[in-house]
Amino acid sequence: LLSCCAPCSGGVLARAAALGLDITILFYNPNIYPLSEYEKRRDEQKRACEHFGISFVELPYEPEEWSRLVKGLENEPERGKRCSVCFFMRLKKAAQYAKAHGFEEISSVLGVSRYKDMQQVNAAGRAACQAQGVHYDETNWRRNGLEEARRAVWKELNFYSQQYCGCVFSLQAAEQHRKKAVK
């Protein structure tokens, strides 16, 4: 399960632990800016995995590669072309990891946030997995009580609450939004 952060994965982790499912969280998020934010989110994800007894794997932090791939898309809005490139990059790496380590299927919580488009994430997941011969599970991790479970876990474990999606562009947009709200 490719995860962007503990708040988004919390409901899935709780459900997997309750059902005794054997899953692995893969943390590959070269889009997160700055490094200190990346480290906070990574550490919270590790803490959540430890709490639920779920395996955690972190791939290298590669912000230069992410920046190279989204070059020219700096002015795209949230849910625009930049997000598609970002999702594909991360899901492709997850599919490669899955193939190399004997996993037959991957999924992600990249679409859990209300700020993301689940169809956009799933399209990137299908495309990324197709070339690797790995199945992409399109489960909507917001449904069937998982949104409520996610919020309960977030509250119970007192997760760090990030104020933007992760990339420098979403940070800038969040800061502009807060400035407008103050006026």
Side-chain angles (χ1 to χ4, degrees):
L1 181 71
L2 179 62
S3 179
C4 49
C5 62
C8 285
S9 70
V12 181
L13 295 179
R15 177 78 48 90
L19 296 174
L21 300 178
D22 183 17
I23 68 168
T24 297
I25 288 290
L26 184 68
F27 194 81
Y28 179 64
N29 296 293
N31 58 306
I32 298 176
Y33 174 87
L35 175 61
S36 59
E37 181 72 17
Y38 172 87
E39 291 169 339
K40 285 179 195 174
R41 294 182 191 204
R42 178 203 57 208
D43 293 348
E44 285 291 82
Q45 185 66 75
K46 278 185 185 178
R47 183 169 69 91
C49 287
E50 288 170 5
H51 177 82
F52 289 108
I54 303 288
S55 299
F56 175 85
V57 173
E58 177 187 10
L59 296 183
Y61 180 55
E62 302 172 316
E64 298 83 11
E65 179 64 11
W66 181 84
S67 293
R68 185 186 68 75
L69 289 173
V70 301
K71 187 170 179 62
L73 301 173
E74 296 86 354
N75 295 318
E76 283 288 314
E78 194 75 19
R79 296 180 174 207
K81 291 177 187 175
R82 184 182 61 247
C83 290
S84 292
V85 169
C86 181
F87 294 148
F88 180 78
M89 174 200 190
R90 293 153 66 199
L91 288 158
K92 179 181 173 186
K93 186 71 84 164
Q96 290 169 339
Y97 180 89
K99 177 102 175 175
H101 292 88
F103 292 90
E104 297 174 0
E105 181 175 67
I106 70 167
S107 190
S108 81
V109 293
L110 301 182
V112 166
S113 167
R114 67 178 188 251
Y115 299 109
K116 296 300 174 196
D117 178 342
M118 183 71 75
Q119 291 178 0
Q120 186 182 30
V121 172
N122 287 340
R126 287 189 303 272
C129 286
Q130 189 173 23
Q132 298 302 316
V134 175
H135 179 259
Y136 184 71
D137 173 36
E138 297 186 29
T139 297
N140 183 335
W141 300 109
R142 296 181 212 168
R143 294 210 170 116
N144 301 318
L146 286 167
E147 178 62 24
E148 294 78 11
R150 180 180 81 82
R151 289 175 196 225
V153 168
W154 190 347
K155 186 176 180 179
E156 174 192 345
L157 297 180
N158 194 29
F159 287 141
Y160 161 68
S161 181
Q162 57 259 15
Q163 301 299 308
Y164 62 103
C165 182
C167 75
V168 64
F169 308 110
S170 66
L171 173 60
Q172 291 167 350
E175 288 172 347
Q176 289 174 355
H177 179 74
R178 279 191 291 278
K179 285 179 186 175
K180 287 180 183 176
V182 172
K183 290 182 179 179

